[in-house]
Amino acid sequence: MQIDEQEFFKKTHIEITSEDGAKIMGKPIGKYITIESQSLKENNPQAHKQIIQEVANIIKSLLPKVDEKLKVLAIGLGNRQATPDTLGPYVTDKVFVTRHLMEFVPAEIEKNVANLSSLAPGVMGLTGIETSEIVKGTAEHIKPHCIIAIDSLGARSASRINTTIQITNTGISPGAGIGNKRKQLDESTVGCPVIAIGVPTVVDAATLVNDTMDYLIESMLSETQDATFYQMLKDLGDQEKYSLIKKTITPTIGNLFVTPKDIDEVIMYLGNVISNAINIAVHPSITIDDINKYAY
Amino acid sequence: MQIDEQEFFKKTHIEITSEDGAKIMGKPIGKYITIESQSLKENNPQAHKQIIQEVANIIKSLLPKVDEKLKVLAIGLGNRQATPDTLGPYVTDKVFVTRHLMEFVPAEIEKNVANLSSLAPGVMGLTGIETSEIVKGTAEHIKPHCIIAIDSLGARSASRINTTIQITNTGISPGAGIGNKRKQLDESTVGCPVIAIGVPTVVDAATLVNDTMDYLIESMLSETQDATFYQMLKDLGDQEKYSLIKKTITPTIGNLFVTPKDIDEVIMYLGNVISNAINIAVHPSITIDDINKYAY
Amino acid sequence: MQIDEQEFFKKTHIEITSEDGAKIMGKPIGKYITIESQSLKENNPQAHKQIIQEVANIIKSLLPKVDEKLKVLAIGLGNRQATPDTLGPYVTDKVFVTRHLMEFVPAEIEKNVANLSSLAPGVMGLTGIETSEIVKGTAEHIKPHCIIAIDSLGARSASRINTTIQITNTGISPGAGIGNKRKQLDESTVGCPVIAIGVPTVVDAATLVNDTMDYLIESMLSETQDATFYQMLKDLGDQEKYSLIKKTITPTIGNLFVTPKDIDEVIMYLGNVISNAINIAVHPSITIDDINKYAY
Amino acid sequence: MQIDEQEFFKKTHIEITSEDGAKIMGKPIGKYITIESQSLKENNPQAHKQIIQEVANIIKSLLPKVDEKLKVLAIGLGNRQATPDTLGPYVTDKVFVTRHLMEFVPAEIEKNVANLSSLAPGVMGLTGIETSEIVKGTAEHIKPHCIIAIDSLGARSASRINTTIQITNTGISPGAGIGNKRKQLDESTVGCPVIAIGVPTVVDAATLVNDTMDYLIESMLSETQDATFYQMLKDLGDQEKYSLIKKTITPTIGNLFVTPKDIDEVIMYLGNVISNAINIAVHPSITIDDINKYAY
């Protein structure tokens, strides 16, 4: 694991290189890069600029090297009608798509841009269709070298909400954030490598309760000798404890999610960071000086 | 307290009639009517129709009796940019306003409608202005017999979210739901009686944790003899316990709120119920058969 | 041509049955049904109910007869970010999709509904992808018996805006309304029959000018003997005259469209009429009494 | 009249100083400054920056000089539900309001900002209230030194749509753009000076037809000797001709407006330009280097 601390962000880079490593980590072989920054949820253009450049570099390092013009399909996962879930469609609406212009532009201009297209396939609850079916069907016609999939995620802890960008070259499960986990989007299901860019924008209620109880009990116990209840909870093991809380919470408030009050605004910050980073990573002639020029 | 159980809802009616009663209840003298219905958060037109009629009756019973044409100002409290907080503005956009038509319509038609106007004053965080200042300033020009204020509230327990309509003739504190509590809107601050219609649409994270821990501990302790931690918590008293959780939760996740995934849709159901009820209560010639005719 | 006048609408039914007929009409062999009603753009639930039933009957008559469970894919064409172009996505968001539930529901319920899925593929300007590629790619996985495509159209005359529903079994060109005409969606391009439902929601500026000049000149000339300018224009022929106006208008105001002020509200009326009609036509157990129950 | 041509805009400055001048111009005594720029409707951050600085300078020159802390109320006119009419509310949502913070901030910070508040009063069709009543009522409580009112306007010619910012210190008529002209907001109706910032975002259909016919006839007549129809039209005089077209157009298409296809995006450009300009003009310590920092 490499850690890189910069002025406005912290980058963590993990690479799983063997089947054994994959088993230990419980994740497929591949690269896992995380950018952490409190500035992501604030109106901080200077910090965002630094992060855009870094995310662009990371995406570029994960894109396949090809001899012809690079063909990329950006997939914006999520539900346009639930604010914390709109990050994916926001990004695909903003990236600078060029695929449809290829035949019309002069050769001089054409060489400055990649062949980029985008699609926001919606969510299964509203379409009745597995996202992977729409993506695979479309990819069979476009034949991209690579898919970049952007999605809102569920946070594993409340403190990570809107402060973390997770990038991997191993694919993604649509709807892992809010809604049920769906069929994986990866090379085996859609036919080309899938770079996934995810941002935790919500936390489920049970996780929130779990985390808070942990903090609370820990701090209370430091002041007492007797710890029967805590010991009891601790003996359960993490997974069992979570399940217990989940089971307790579900009948009353099953369908709730936890998200910041200013989520509309924060989605805009995050969406601008990611769409600018994709434009810079994918198109040869777009640079950090063009921020918001192609992705207002 | 009167309780009335109907097919699709339960109505609770409390009236505080004396200063002593007000002290005991911790609320001003006045009427407090609550409609509870799980159907409010579902697409159930039949149930909604029954509830619209009941809410219309309740509003009508609280409106002042006047000898001239009734003049009502509907105030939609809340922030248009945070979905769970849009109920108020949604309703004021939908009610059938007539004040500006009074001078133009023939006398025959004019007698069929009250003089209704509406305003969504925004929230102090975006305007810099106390809501009561805007409402009072406007009311001084309109001179309504009565204000009907509609607002999203914070729930005291997660199970009440989107299932409860609270109506009172004692006024309301804007922003009591999400955001800070603001100056009360009531007869003393705005110069005319204020009927408040509130619906809990969010719960704060600390309340959620508190409720869940209560359930959880209660159910775990039934299986054990030893209860030191629970006893410890119990000894704190409710208010102290909540404060402790709040204090624990705030540094990490202070700004979060908890709301259902389908809140956009539910706001529409609630908004249609309330705007139709206001139209029926206020305008003499609009009845339950006109649902959605003046408030699509 | 059959014409059927009802209380709230007028229905016109044209069928082209031969290649000769197709040549004369300049349209492919097939059925062309038009519903005209001023009520479509008004808040008139009674009229809408009558029209929903009629549109449902028309769709039902065009659906293929199959021996197994009917499988339908609804395609919502248009750009979610330009109000007059949102009708298609509005409808696909509202229809009662069931395809993803098929394996989970009991046999008793399952027989009451068709297999319906939906997709809003976006517009080429934002995706870089021909709509027909996305639709064909998805249809290859879903293998529907029939596609129902909904789109906003450009009106041939301003008076038709939002007052006409055009239904045909011969397919549709996405973006024929606002934006450039794209590759046809029909059996030859997507692999199954395509029922198209279109509503003119805009008129291009040149058409508006053209129509108005015609009215104006006609009315002015009735009062004069001398008609040189009119004669001059008339001699041009309709197509030439339109081109001339278009050429005159484009440099200054090329990118304009003409639409009613209350278009947001009217899209909602139209969208509710069409989504309810699709639900009734497609699902065996949904009837006119279920209006808005499955398509709020 | 002073004209100033810069790289990205043209500024026109007219001052009416006497009652005679006012009679001749048909406008009240005051200053009228217009910024024209095609870049306003394009994604051109460099041009926007130049224009923001200029608009800020203009506003600053029109603000009253006061000895105490400057108190300004920004009023966003227009209907949030009709895209071309959302400019005003967009701006008031974005300006950096401070009035409610005054008592809480340390003196050091407090001296860096003016006392700014904002309000989007809605339109009379949805509120039933004259905008001037709401504004006056609120201003009586806030007692601002000056109101800045922002509104979408109707263009006098299609070519001016979204390319012109009109600034004056003589007030404004809400709804002059799309909708009926309402009571003037000026010192006489609201009790303090009113700086108005207007941008034409729509043109009415009759103006469009009128302009096009003028172009068309002019260009056709250059090729002919005989001009009876044109002469006939010309003899009418401009006002009569417009009325004739209006009369011809109204029965069919009365309620239409003409606006660009990308109006959602253009409103964002315009709104960001104006809200940044207001922040710079009003708050002593905000400068052109803070673009989007207080008005993302």
Side-chain angles (χ1 to χ4, degrees), chain B:
Chain B
M1 186 164 85
Q2 291 164 13
I3 295 178
D4 179 13
E5 297 255 13
Q6 293 292 329
E7 186 184 1
F8 288 115
F9 65 87
K10 178 179 160 191
K11 179 170 82 163
T12 313
H13 187 290
I14 294 174
E15 185 158 4
I16 300 177
T17 52
S18 67
E19 284 301 341
D20 281 358
K23 254 180 220 162
I24 293 163
M25 304 293 285
K27 291 175 175 182
I29 288 176
K31 293 174 180 174
Y32 299 86
I33 302 109
T34 305
I35 299 288
E36 283 170 75
S37 171
Q38 292 298 318
S39 315
L40 277 170
K41 56 179 175 183
E42 293 157 13
N43 185 0
N44 186 339
Q46 200 191 344
H48 293 182
K49 193 170 176 179
Q50 199 183 95
I51 297 170
I52 288 169
Q53 183 63 72
E54 187 63 34
V55 174
N57 292 346
I58 296 166
I59 297 171
K60 209 177 284 187
S61 76
L62 300 179
L63 285 171
K65 312 300 169 236
V66 293
D67 287 336
E68 44 184 339
K69 179 179 286 297
L70 182 67
K71 217 188 271 189
V72 175
L73 170 59
I75 298 291
L77 300 167
N79 181 353
R80 287 178 188 272
Q81 276 158 53
T83 310
D85 209 22
T86 55
L87 178 63
Y90 186 98
V91 169
T92 45
D93 283 353
K94 298 281 165 189
V95 290
F96 181 51
V97 298
T98 52
R99 180 173 178 268
H100 58 311
L101 308 171
M102 285 299 145
E103 45 185 313
F104 304 113
V105 297
E108 267 162 67
I109 291 174
E110 199 247 307
K111 69 166 192 264
N112 293 323
V113 292
N115 178 318
L116 179 61
S117 53
S118 77
L119 182 65
V123 292
M124 201 173 74
L126 287 178
T127 63
I129 313 174
E130 275 280 357
T131 301
S132 61
E133 292 177 289
I134 302 170
V135 175
K136 192 181 184 190
T138 306
E140 281 162 359
H141 285 262
I142 294 183
K143 301 194 199 317
H145 298 110
C146 175
I147 282 174
I148 301 178
I150 305 95
D151 200 3
S152 302
L153 307 177
R156 285 197 316 277
S157 110
S159 62
R160 294 173 74 90
I161 293 181
N162 296 332
T163 62
T164 309
I165 302 177
Q166 302 170 204
I167 309 169
T168 176
N169 61 353
T170 62
I172 194 167
S173 287
I178 61 171
N180 297 323
K181 210 168 165 176
R182 307 301 328 148
K183 210 187 261 183
Q184 181 85 357
L185 289 189
D186 59 25
E187 187 152 7
S188 74
T189 57
V190 299
C192 71
V194 176
I195 298 173
I197 304 178
V199 178
T201 60
V202 291
V203 71
D204 86 300
T207 299
L208 177 70
V209 173
N210 188 68
D211 290 4
T212 314
M213 279 184 59
D214 282 356
Y215 286 123
L216 188 63
I217 290 171
E218 203 104 31
S219 72
M220 290 187 74
L221 284 177
S222 63
E223 300 160 24
T224 175
Q225 242 67 40
D226 193 342
T228 318
F229 179 77
Y230 175 66
Q231 207 49 56
M232 213 161 74
L233 278 177
K234 214 164 183 186
D235 291 350
L236 290 172
D238 279 357
Q239 192 50 47
E240 252 180 295
K241 188 175 53 163
Y242 177 84
S243 300
L244 182 67
I245 293 174
K246 186 92 189 164
K247 218 179 60 192
T248 309
I249 245 175
T250 304
T252 345
I253 57 158
N255 206 23
L256 299 177
F257 66 87
V258 184
T259 198
K261 281 181 202 166
D262 56 350
I263 183 70
D264 301 70
E265 207 174 315
V266 175
I267 289 290
M268 207 170 65
Y269 301 151
L270 293 167
N272 289 343
V273 165
I274 296 173
S275 53
N276 276 295
I278 292 175
N279 283 346
I280 294 170
V282 165
H283 295 304
S285 70
I286 299 185
T287 74
I288 192 73
D289 296 327
D290 300 309
I291 288 183
N292 289 336
K293 205 163 161 189
Y294 298 97
Y296 205 98

Side-chain angles (χ1 to χ4, degrees), chain B residues 81 93 99 118 127 133, chain D residues 81 93 99 118 126-127 133:
Chain B
Q81 276 158 53
D93 283 353
R99 180 173 178 268
S118 77
T127 63
E133 292 177 289
Chain D
Q81 276 157 53
D93 282 353
R99 179 173 180 269
S118 77
L126 287 178
T127 64
E133 293 177 288

Side-chain angles (χ1 to χ4, degrees), chain D residues 197-258:
Chain D
I197 304 178
V199 177
T201 60
V202 291
V203 70
D204 86 300
T207 299
L208 177 71
V209 172
N210 189 69
D211 290 2
T212 315
M213 280 186 59
D214 282 357
Y215 285 124
L216 188 63
I217 290 170
E218 204 103 28
S219 73
M220 290 188 74
L221 285 176
S222 63
E223 299 159 26
T224 176
Q225 243 68 43
D226 193 340
T228 320
F229 179 77
Y230 175 66
Q231 208 49 57
M232 214 161 71
L233 276 179
K234 212 163 184 186
D235 291 351
L236 289 172
D238 279 356
Q239 192 50 48
E240 252 181 295
K241 188 174 55 160
Y242 176 84
S243 299
L244 181 68
I245 293 173
K246 186 90 188 164
K247 216 179 61 192
T248 309
I249 244 175
T250 304
T252 344
I253 56 155
N255 207 23
L256 298 179
F257 67 87
V258 183

